[in-house]
Amino acid sequence: MNVGELLAATVPMARTLNLQFLETTPERAVVRLPDQPDFHNHVGGPHAGAMFTLAESASGAIVLAAFGEQLSRAVPLAVKAEIGYKKLAKGVVTATATLGRPAAEVIAELDAGGRPEFPVTIAIQREDEAVTGEMTVVWTLRPNA
């Protein structure tokens, strides 16, 4: 089972929103939110909360893909998140996440006894590729006690 399949099977919000994990590698995660009227806002596009969950899920997917081998000694936790809604989203939207620090640098900090923090940036796009939102989630790898 790959990271996307694992998240789709084990994260209730991912299942609720029917998120589709299209790509989950240590370099990039791409997650799609299908167009679903049950999750529309007052202007007919995806609700802001659904887009937040989409982007946060993409960030979680790349974190697991990049740092999954560290799970025996550290737990990944989101520290903070900031999102900006840029344009009206309609129809299917896709979130693409990228790491803001090299994974090797983060692991080296963990190896040195630290609790590394690192940003993940996410772009949310419509099918016409217009960026409708941008999000940054700061994650940490908290060493196990």
Side-chain angles (χ1 to χ4, degrees):
M1 186 177 287
N2 68 35
V3 171
E5 292 166 341
L6 175 70
L7 290 172
T10 61
V11 177
M13 281 304 297
R15 285 194 312 276
T16 296
L17 291 176
N18 301 305
L19 297 182
Q20 301 163 345
F21 293 83
L22 306 179
E23 181 181 339
T24 53
T25 70
E27 292 77 35
R28 188 170 106 128
V30 181
V31 183
R32 179 177 15 214
L33 173 65
D35 186 21
Q36 302 166 89
D38 285 347
F39 303 115
H40 281 179
N41 59 21
H42 61 288
V43 292
H47 187 276
M51 288 192 292
F52 183 99
T53 301
L54 166 69
E56 194 276 339
S57 296
S59 79
I62 197 169
V63 167
L64 285 178
F67 303 109
E69 292 179 2
Q70 308 306 317
L71 293 179
S72 64
R73 64 185 185 132
V75 62
L77 297 170
V79 174
K80 63 182 173 180
E82 184 175 339
I83 191 165
Y85 300 100
K86 307 292 184 187
K87 292 184 179 185
L88 184 62
K90 289 274 196 165
V92 174
V93 289
T94 303
T96 302
T98 55
L99 284 178
R101 282 179 67 191
E105 182 181 294
V106 174
I107 293 168
E109 188 175 335
L110 183 65
D111 289 342
R115 181 176 170 167
E117 289 191 1
F118 54 94
V120 175
T121 57
I122 307 100
I124 304 169
Q125 295 178 284
R126 298 185 303 225
E127 285 186 299
D128 67 1
E129 298 187 8
V131 175
T132 63
E134 295 173 328
M135 184 174 185
T136 300
V137 180
V138 175
W139 286 83
T140 188
L141 294 179
R142 186 190 75 198
N144 296 337

